[in-house]
Amino acid sequence: MTSMTPEEYDYIVIGAGSAGSVLANRLSEKRDCTVLLLEAGSRDWSPYIHIPAALIKAVGNPSLDWCYLAEPDPTRGGKVDLWPAGRVLGGSSSINGMLYVRGAPQDFDDWAMAGCAGWSYQDVLPHFKRLERTLLGDSAYRGRDGGLCVEPLRSKHELATIFDAAAQRAGIPWNEDYNGAQQEGISAPQVTQRWGRRWSAARAFIDPARKRSNLRIQTRAQVTRLLFEQHVCRGVEYRRGAQLHTAHARRETLLCAGSLGSPQILMRSGIGPAAALRELGVQPLVDRAAVGGNLCEHPEAMVSIDVNVPTYNTEIGGPRTIWHLANWLLFARGPATSPYPHSVAFARSQPEATRPDIQIMLGPFAFSFTEAGIVPYEKPAVSAAINVSYPQSRGRVSLRSADPAAPPRIEHGLLSSETDLDGLIRGAELCRRIFSEPEFAPYRIAERLPGPAVQTRDEWVDYLRRTVFLGYHPVGTCRMGSDPDAVVDPQLRVRGVERLRVVDASIMPGPISGNTNGATMMIADRAASLILQSSRAA
């Protein structure tokens, strides 16, 4: 490979995913600065991105997904998980389930109380509002003029309405807007769509900025390492095809490669556990053991019943696929508009819980997760996916090799905490109770998962260790904090070096309640404000 003449920009943004898209848009609004946006993947042209129901073809697709495989999980019989990460403009917002969740207001207050000044709910609420374009909820909490379209589900399955009623009978209150004043309750889903089509971060924030002369978007550009003079980050080296390029940043380099990608790039550049880096032939620059650690993920369990009405998993394949595609193209209606959840609940798994600690998502589907991706069930069924909102289990991302083409080592015992197991059991028993309510009697055939044989705690534990899967919400591997072990400070500056920030879900101190895409975009919007304030001060 040969190296070309260095390019120079004011800001270099690494990764055009949920965070990078927002950041590049905000920074390039300032016309007197130049921005380079680097994305290892390609343009977002695939129909698997834009047709919501086609997400099962996007996850695990190597043209759109990094398709990382974890190490065998000893807490689940050595199961090997697929850890998806978007490898395309829009990043994971181009292949995710589109459910829009901000997190509970208390989550951000917890960040502030843990030493992350400026990240309380009142601090971050203006950024959530600036991003959104929605007619949902109260304008005191919701945004009306942003780039991110958040809409109700276009075609709600009849059994989702039944689930809503049964959940309320089981004690979960109705909540008109779980992204409003409070999160608790059963609600209709809010999705990142526009007229039944996926509305990714690329659609929302890259497309409006694409024609700006001060923004350069470079796809198929994989960053190999960050470039330093002493402890000052001067830019990046990246590979595009057989060519090696160098780009310099006059002001700052902004790492937005996600919870799996950002720690890899830091470690390859010498920021991480020094002894482990030396073993791989990487010269340490900053010895920071926390880089790649604190990997958090929501463990998810499934309760499912067979039903006597058609469900969306049975609509996949065959001649009806053509009808559903036509319905989507002409009217933006029908199963093709559908991500997984048709009802969403945030609930307390036990009366003494001080806040909702489980999330429940009802889908008119049945499927299984494999190393290859998502595999549909062949009979009509509905499924409730339950996750523990604040899991205590932790993992780590580390380098397998100094080679930028080598996948990371992902180690995570998803069920290493008995507390997490107990939360899943309580959530699953609540869902079993909901499916047993009178509202489901005309539709229920039998319990499919876990089945009536599972009753005792030991039987639940055995079932969960065989079947629990990932929520696809990794966070925490470049943890923000004010303590000496934190990877970034509350300004998102990497500790120990200058002119380098991490801006993505990896900076979250811990898990939040619900899906993480919305909070990731908020982080980027707040980061843009911090960066521009810093630039003005300089």
Side-chain angles (χ1 to χ4, degrees):
M1 293 185 295
T2 59
S3 182
M4 310 224 10
T5 303
E7 311 151 17
E8 192 168 84
Y9 303 85
D10 290 307
Y11 299 103
I12 299 173
V13 179
I14 302 169
S18 299
S21 298
V22 173
L23 199 53
N25 179 296
R26 284 285 314 279
L27 295 177
S28 64
E29 286 178 338
K30 187 175 171 60
R31 295 308 179 96
D32 62 349
C33 73
T34 54
V35 180
L36 172 64
L37 177 61
L38 297 173
E39 169 55 44
S42 59
R43 290 287 298 273
D44 54 337
W45 287 327
S46 171
Y48 297 154
I49 293 173
H50 303 293
I51 304 171
L55 67 90
I56 63 171
K57 297 291 188 180
V59 173
N61 183 332
S63 68
L64 303 173
D65 181 354
W66 284 98
C67 298
Y68 294 130
L69 292 178
E71 299 300 294
D73 181 355
T75 72
R76 294 181 293 146
K79 181 176 175 59
V80 174
D81 290 303
L82 172 73
W83 285 65
R87 188 180 189 177
V88 63
L89 284 182
S92 293
S93 76
S94 290
I95 66 171
N96 69 0
M98 290 159 279
L99 183 66
Y100 182 72
V101 181
R102 289 178 171 181
Q106 300 97 313
D107 295 343
F108 308 105
D109 290 338
D110 287 348
W111 292 7
M113 290 177 63
C116 300
W119 292 89
S120 71
Y121 179 63
Q122 289 304 313
D123 292 321
V124 303
L125 179 58
H127 298 284
F128 277 121
K129 292 177 65 176
R130 191 212 307 263
L131 292 166
E132 286 180 356
R133 180 182 297 270
T134 186
L135 297 176
L136 297 167
D138 184 338
S139 61
Y141 299 96
R142 306 306 300 271
R144 304 301 189 213
D145 303 313
L148 184 69
C149 293
V150 179
E151 297 185 346
L153 199 62
R154 299 277 296 176
S155 299
K156 186 169 179 175
H157 194 277
E158 60 181 304
L159 292 185
T161 303
I162 298 300
F163 188 84
D164 293 344
Q168 290 175 74
R169 184 186 291 272
I172 303 176
W174 177 255
N175 182 355
E176 195 64 35
D177 181 11
Y178 59 80
N179 288 314
Q182 66 177 25
Q183 192 184 60
E184 185 170 11
I186 179 84
S187 306
Q190 302 176 21
V191 292
T192 48
Q193 291 184 9
R194 186 177 182 185
W195 290 100
R197 289 164 167 77
R198 180 192 294 273
W199 198 248
S200 68
R203 297 273 72 75
F205 302 107
I206 293 179
D207 283 359
R210 188 178 293 280
K211 293 184 180 179
R212 295 173 186 168
S213 60
N214 61 332
L215 173 62
R216 182 185 176 200
I217 303 166
Q218 187 67 274
T219 56
R220 302 186 185 278
Q222 184 173 2
V223 170
T224 55
R225 64 188 176 107
L226 304 167
L227 302 176
F228 289 93
E229 290 180 5
Q230 301 301 321
H231 283 66
V232 179
C233 185
R234 298 298 187 187
V236 302
E237 178 186 87
Y238 68 94
R239 184 177 63 236
R240 195 164 191 267
Q243 203 79 47
L244 202 61
H245 300 256
T246 300
H248 290 165
R250 287 184 286 265
R251 297 183 182 177
E252 295 190 48
T253 299
L254 308 163
L255 182 52
C256 308
S259 293
L260 304 179
S262 286
Q264 289 184 75
I265 293 172
L266 288 178
M267 288 185 283
R268 287 204 304 265
S269 306
I271 301 174
L277 296 182
R278 285 194 187 96
E279 289 181 3
L280 296 174
V282 177
Q283 180 61 40
L285 178 69
V286 176
D287 184 6
R288 184 75 66 225
V291 174
N294 190 46
L295 175 61
C296 312
E297 174 59 290
H298 287 136
E300 297 214 5
M302 193 74 79
V303 174
S304 179
I305 61 171
D306 289 308
V307 295
N308 57 12
V309 295
T311 55
Y312 286 1
N313 56 295
T314 61
E315 300 288 302
I316 298 170
R320 291 191 62 80
T321 301
I322 299 172
W323 158 247
H324 293 316
L325 183 59
N327 194 18
W328 175 78
L329 284 168
L330 296 173
F331 307 110
R333 296 286 182 185
T337 67
S338 178
Y340 172 75
H342 283 224
S343 291
V344 181
F346 295 92
R348 301 174 196 237
S349 67
Q350 51 190 339
E352 57 267 33
T354 58
R355 65 172 75 170
D357 59 345
I358 57 171
Q359 179 184 7
I360 300 169
M361 295 174 286
L362 184 280
F365 303 93
F367 52 83
S368 60
F369 291 89
T370 72
E371 294 175 31
I374 302 169
V375 180
Y377 177 60
E378 295 181 354
K379 297 178 182 179
V382 294
S383 305
I386 309 104
N387 76 52
V388 174
S389 299
Y390 305 106
Q392 297 184 6
S393 302
R394 293 292 185 270
R396 169 171 286 279
V397 176
S398 58
L399 293 183
R400 195 177 301 275
S401 161
D403 181 0
R409 177 177 285 107
I410 303 171
E411 299 168 289
H412 196 298
L414 199 61
L415 295 179
S416 58
S417 164
E418 291 293 321
T419 300
D420 296 348
L421 267 169
D422 288 338
L424 285 173
I425 292 170
R426 290 192 297 269
E429 288 176 332
L430 173 58
C431 289
R432 172 181 271 176
R433 190 159 70 249
I434 292 170
F435 283 138
S436 298
E437 295 290 354
E439 285 81 359
F440 270 104
Y443 308 96
R444 184 180 56 247
I445 295 175
E447 184 174 282
R448 187 177 75 93
L449 294 174
V454 173
Q455 298 294 334
T456 67
R457 185 183 188 279
D458 287 346
E459 289 164 347
W460 273 112
V461 169
D462 176 69
Y463 168 71
L464 292 172
R465 290 199 187 279
R466 288 185 288 106
T467 60
V468 160
F469 53 97
L470 306 176
Y472 296 164
H473 305 150
V475 304
T477 52
C478 298
R479 178 179 64 84
M480 170 175 60
S482 54
D483 58 286
D485 294 328
V487 178
V488 301
D489 68 12
Q491 304 288 307
L492 307 188
R493 299 171 296 201
V494 175
R495 297 177 60 254
V497 298
E498 299 177 25
R499 299 190 186 181
L500 175 65
R501 301 189 205 221
V502 178
V503 183
D504 55 36
S506 71
I507 67 93
M508 294 187 192
I512 63 172
S513 178
N515 307 58
T516 52
N517 187 238
T520 300
M521 288 185 274
M522 175 279 291
I523 288 167
D525 193 77
R526 174 146 181 75
S529 295
L530 294 171
I531 292 163
L532 293 172
Q533 289 168 9
S534 175
S535 174
R536 285 193 293 269

